[in-house]
Amino acid sequence: MAAATPVDEKYERIVLEPSPDIDKEIEEAKELLDLALCSMPNEDDEKYESEGEEDYETDLKNIAEKSKKLLPEGFPFSAHVPEDESVLEKQIFKNYTGAV
């Protein structure tokens, strides 16, 4: 017979506050992930003002297709990868090397 576990036992929850260095690294990681996965062309760009809205829509479609090819199958979010794909190879955290 298995040993009974105490039902009324309470555990203390310890919440660690990040150091200023870690806080800065977290903000940099957020910016990098935002750049890597949420880059959208600016509709107000000069390129689109002279050529019209059709080119903007075409660029959006091309970015969506390229993103779908680059991201892993079953990626749970919609993402838009920038034209410069080198941003995808950048290290997100300095001291953490596991999956993000």
Side-chain angles (χ1 to χ4, degrees), residues 80-93:
H80 300 283
V81 178
E83 288 185 26
D84 180 17
E85 294 175 18
S86 67
V87 73
L88 298 176
E89 302 301 321
K90 289 185 178 180
Q91 184 175 350
I92 296 175
F93 297 109

Side-chain angles (χ1 to χ4, degrees), residues 40-43 48 52-61:
M40 295 289 292
N42 188 354
E43 195 171 2
Y48 301 119
E53 194 170 306
E54 291 177 11
D55 290 330
Y56 179 72
E57 295 297 326
T58 303
D59 279 356
L60 286 179
K61 188 183 290 185

